[in-house]
Amino acid sequence: MRVHTQVQEALDRLQDARSVARLVERVPEAVCQLGFDRALFSEIRESVWIPQSCTVLGDPGWAAEILRIGRTESPVLDRTLVETEAVRRRRALLVADTQREVRGLACLVEAARMESYVVAAVLSDDGVLGLVHADRHVQRRQVDELDREVFGMFAQGLGIVFRRTVLVERVQSLRTEVDQFTMNIANTMDRILRTGLPAAPVIGDPVAPPPGPVPTRSFVESALTPRQLEVLRLLGDGKTNAGIATRLTISEDTAPSPTSSTHLASLLNDQQIQRLDAEITDSSATAPRDGGRTNAQRPWPRVPRGVDSRSHQALPR
């Protein structure tokens, strides 16, 4: 029970690490809380073992020297190393006799003066994250099977701490991006409020409306040709055939006659004739002509001789 409590307390010391880099630095210190006096954490990159942090109680200079030699060597995990077996089996291993069991790490073993040690793989979601080593060299004690079990429990918990720290780091990164995005929006809004909104772009040349009221064509103007309108105005003025011929510079035979009036009337249907009569009567009722007499007082329209005033059809001769 005390062993589990000791492991949990060592892991709790790593909970406040807010980045993976900071966690890597503090792992050896947490290992030494378990009763070991030297600890080494290494990262594995494509089967290469790269030491990252080291602690030697009471001798930080020696820890720096072990790191330097380990990084220089950067051993590859092959079948000659115990560390390769620890990675393959995903469990803590005990090396009781380094002179007999360790091969390929002569420089590191000599620099660290290792006699016995424990090693375990640290697992992440993507596989093996790294390796952790520990021994009791300063105490001049050999590590034993109990140390291996305690160390194995710590390595399992350390993998969970790493996964949690990676998640926290990603959330912090996402929060930073969101804060930056929000700040950019606020700055843009402040800039718009200070300078005002830009004018809306004009697509193409604006079309100016014509000055004054838009002229509209009456029913009479729409129903008759310009020549017919002129003849109609002259008839409304009471002009005779001879007068119309003189005004229009045409012969009297071409001027309106019973035949031509019949032709004019045939251009309009009964409904058009009724509207035409009404409009002509309304428009001429207010215009005084010939000594104060209005067109309303004069018979209108003056039907040429030989034309029925009710049907506008030519009478038989």
Side-chain angles (χ1 to χ4, degrees):
M1 190 66 177
R2 182 177 181 277
V3 171
H4 288 83
T5 303
Q6 190 177 12
V7 171
Q8 187 62 54
E9 290 177 353
L11 293 172
D12 289 343
R13 294 175 65 90
L14 302 173
Q15 295 295 333
D16 59 346
R18 295 299 179 180
S19 67
V20 173
R22 180 57 178 159
L23 178 58
V24 168
E25 292 177 359
R26 297 177 59 177
V27 167
E29 297 176 2
V31 172
C32 290
Q33 297 295 317
L34 300 175
F36 302 97
D37 48 43
R38 296 195 306 180
L40 175 69
F41 177 80
S42 304
E43 182 181 359
I44 296 178
R45 299 177 187 173
E46 298 181 354
S47 300
V48 178
W49 167 18
I50 305 174
Q52 296 293 329
S53 57
C54 181
T55 295
V56 177
L57 293 182
D59 198 340
W62 194 6
E65 181 66 14
I66 293 174
L67 270 181
R68 185 189 65 79
I69 296 175
R71 290 171 178 173
T72 302
E73 292 292 324
S74 294
V76 177
L77 294 176
D78 56 24
R79 288 181 294 179
T80 65
L81 299 180
V82 176
E83 284 72 16
T84 304
E85 186 68 12
V87 170
R88 187 183 68 84
R89 297 173 63 180
R90 304 293 201 269
R91 56 173 298 187
L93 297 181
L94 169 64
V95 179
D97 187 354
T98 58
Q99 300 300 321
R100 184 171 59 88
E101 299 182 43
V102 176
R103 298 175 299 276
L105 296 176
C107 293
L108 186 58
V109 169
E110 182 178 353
R113 304 172 199 171
M114 292 189 297
E115 297 178 2
S116 63
Y117 65 89
V118 287
V119 59
V122 180
L123 305 179
S124 68
D125 293 332
D126 299 326
V128 178
L129 176 65
L131 291 169
V132 60
H133 293 73
D135 67 3
R136 295 177 180 269
H137 178 80
V138 177
Q139 305 171 45
R140 299 184 180 276
R141 279 186 52 191
Q142 298 287 325
V143 292
D144 53 23
E145 189 64 26
L146 179 60
D147 291 329
R148 185 192 66 80
E149 293 181 3
V150 173
F151 197 67
M153 286 189 293
F154 175 83
Q156 290 180 359
L158 182 60
I160 297 174
V161 174
F162 263 103
R163 290 193 289 271
R164 174 185 175 278
T165 305
V166 169
L167 179 60
V168 170
E169 198 171 52
R170 290 176 181 173
V171 171
Q172 288 178 336
S173 177
L174 181 60
R175 179 177 180 178
T176 301
E177 293 179 6
V178 171
D179 289 344
Q180 184 63 43
F181 181 72
T182 304
M183 184 179 299
N184 292 339
I185 293 178
N187 292 338
T188 302
M189 294 180 65
D190 290 341
R191 186 164 56 253
I192 292 175
L193 293 176
R194 287 195 302 266
T195 60
L197 292 174
V202 177
I203 302 176
D205 297 331
V207 179
V214 179
T216 58
R217 299 185 67 189
S218 66
F219 168 77
V220 176
E221 294 173 327
S222 301
L224 303 179
T225 66
R227 190 70 165 179
Q228 291 171 342
L229 287 172
E230 182 67 18
V231 172
L232 191 60
R233 291 190 187 97
L234 293 175
L235 287 173
D237 291 339
K239 300 293 184 181
T240 63
N241 289 357
I244 294 175
T246 301
R247 180 66 177 270
L248 300 180
T249 63
I250 58 177
S251 65
E252 187 174 352
D253 295 335
T254 309
S257 63
T259 303
S260 62
S261 298
T262 301
H263 174 67
L264 178 63
S266 66
L267 295 177
L268 307 175
N269 56 35
D270 292 341
Q271 184 178 4
Q272 290 174 322
I273 290 173
Q274 295 174 7
R275 292 180 60 185
L276 179 62
D277 288 343
E279 287 201 20
I280 294 176
T281 303
D282 292 342
S283 62
S284 61
T286 57
R289 302 176 186 272
D290 299 335
R293 292 184 62 191
T294 66
N295 288 336
Q297 297 170 324
R298 183 186 298 114
W300 178 254
R302 177 178 294 178
V303 181
R305 288 170 299 175
V307 176
D308 191 338
S309 61
R310 292 171 297 176
S311 63
H312 288 214
Q313 299 294 324
L315 298 174
R317 299 190 180 189

